[in-house]
Amino acid sequence: MEQFEAFLAAHLPSAASFHPHYETSLHQMLLGGGKRFRPALLLGVVQAYNTLLVPSAYHAALAIELLHTYSLIHDDLPAMDNADLRRGMPTLHKMYNEVSAILAGDALNTYAFEVLSNAPFSDKVIVKLVRSLAHNGGVEGMVLGQAIDCHFENQRLELEQVKMLHIHKTGKLIAASLQMGAYIVGRDDLAQQLYDFGIDLGLLFQIQDDILDVTQDETQAGKTTNNDEAKNSFVTLLGYERAMDEANALAEKVTRQMMSFDENLQRELSPTLTQYINRHKD
């Protein structure tokens, strides 16, 4: 991941102009840290099956991180979560203004596909990667989840509806990360299995975030916390204890799924996954 960080720093979006902070706003959230969870999953799959393709795969990993970062910028806007803090720093609309934050998110969204289109893969592979990222990050994926999340604030949903919401808002982009890794190494036979695993992993990730929202302060989380009262979070719906039970059961399921993978894939994914599978217990 150190090499990926160097790649990211060397491929930041560039847009020289007389605007006082446009280019800086594009870089700020990217350089502000973050878990890099989705890039690590993609690169883990590639490392498991073809180490020679890892440098090329940085393009796809960066594309995912760009799309994810755009979603965070927009998620924090006053029209959505109205958050003041992200990755330990003021959100872009607080640092500059709402217009700057909207445009920075728009720019990172489109730049993700520019980076992906320039990846050193065959056109056939690039089309698969673009399709996966666009489908899971867009109309039927992350954006749908966000639309449901925002529309049903202050309206109680059923548990299965909440799961659908978060599978789309969080799970699908995590699932795409694993699927795209399989496409890069020509393991289309594994793509669906990894995608399904990613959906469960993404749901676990979201339940954990909901738990951490009520157990961590802003300094620990690096973002605005205790901000989910009006949202359909798992803790809001189930309460803390039942949300923990759901997280524990899903963590066990994800662990079993991971243990069913071949030795190479287990070896490469385990360092990333072991950091997160039980983070709600920390």
Side-chain angles (χ1 to χ4, degrees):
M1 294 307 293
E2 289 181 9
Q3 289 92 336
F4 172 71
E5 290 294 338
F7 181 89
L8 182 151
H11 291 82
L12 292 170
S14 175
S17 76
F18 54 86
H19 192 287
H21 59 255
Y22 173 68
E23 191 174 63
T24 303
S25 72
L26 303 183
H27 300 170
Q28 184 171 314
M29 289 296 295
L30 288 169
L31 296 175
K35 302 178 185 73
R36 310 296 196 220
F37 183 57
R38 293 152 191 82
L41 292 176
L42 182 148
L43 294 171
V45 175
V46 177
Q47 180 74 25
Y49 296 112
N50 192 334
T51 58
L52 295 177
L53 287 176
V54 169
S56 298
Y58 291 152
H59 291 80
L62 176 56
I64 290 171
E65 187 66 14
L66 287 162
L67 197 80
H68 173 59
T69 303
Y70 122 73
S71 75
L72 299 181
I73 293 169
H74 281 192
D75 193 42
D76 288 335
L77 287 167
M80 296 195 192
D81 283 358
N82 195 24
D84 294 342
L85 195 69
R86 173 71 70 173
R87 293 178 174 173
M89 65 181 72
T91 49
L92 288 186
H93 68 273
K94 299 297 289 188
M95 177 70 74
Y96 304 112
N97 51 58
E98 197 170 348
V99 170
S100 294
I102 291 169
L103 293 175
D106 291 345
L108 296 185
N109 182 352
T110 51
Y111 185 59
F113 293 97
E114 181 179 347
V115 169
L116 201 50
S117 71
N118 288 321
F121 303 124
S122 69
D123 290 348
K124 183 177 180 181
V125 171
I126 288 175
V127 168
K128 288 181 182 179
L129 298 177
V130 168
R131 183 184 297 121
S132 179
L133 188 58
H135 176 78
N136 289 288
V139 175
E140 296 180 68
M142 181 180 66
V143 177
L144 172 59
Q146 183 74 311
I148 294 171
D149 191 28
C150 292
H151 182 78
F152 288 96
E153 280 190 14
N154 295 306
Q155 299 179 60
R156 182 62 60 89
L157 296 177
E158 300 296 327
L159 179 58
E160 289 306 310
Q161 292 175 314
V162 173
K163 287 182 177 180
M164 178 193 173
L165 185 171
H166 291 298
I167 282 171
H168 285 74
K169 183 179 176 182
T170 303
K172 285 201 168 186
L173 198 57
I174 290 174
S177 304
L178 292 156
Q179 183 182 62
M180 290 167 69
Y183 288 152
I184 288 169
V185 294
R187 291 299 306 267
D188 292 28
D189 57 311
L190 274 179
Q192 188 62 51
Q193 181 185 359
L194 287 172
Y195 185 87
D196 294 342
F197 170 69
I199 292 294
D200 287 335
L201 182 61
L203 195 57
L204 171 62
F205 201 82
Q206 183 60 54
I207 296 174
Q208 291 173 330
D209 269 2
D210 291 349
I211 291 169
L212 295 174
D213 183 74
V214 299
T215 59
Q216 291 186 340
D217 60 28
E218 292 186 352
T219 301
Q220 291 171 302
K223 62 180 180 179
T224 303
T225 58
N226 292 297
N227 201 35
D228 286 347
E229 294 89 350
K231 296 279 189 176
N232 278 284
S233 79
F234 287 93
V235 175
T236 302
L237 178 64
L238 301 175
Y240 174 78
E241 294 297 333
R242 284 186 62 199
M244 283 292 290
D245 291 341
E246 284 280 336
N248 290 336
L250 201 48
E252 291 178 8
K253 180 181 180 182
V254 166
T255 300
R256 288 195 304 271
Q257 289 174 310
M258 186 174 67
M259 296 304 292
S260 72
F261 296 150
D262 63 63
E263 184 178 331
N264 287 344
L265 190 55
Q266 283 188 50
R267 182 184 66 248
E268 298 302 333
L269 290 182
S270 288
T272 298
L273 295 179
T274 52
Q275 296 180 57
Y276 294 105
I277 286 178
N278 291 305
R279 68 187 175 117
H280 59 287
K281 299 178 182 179
D282 295 341

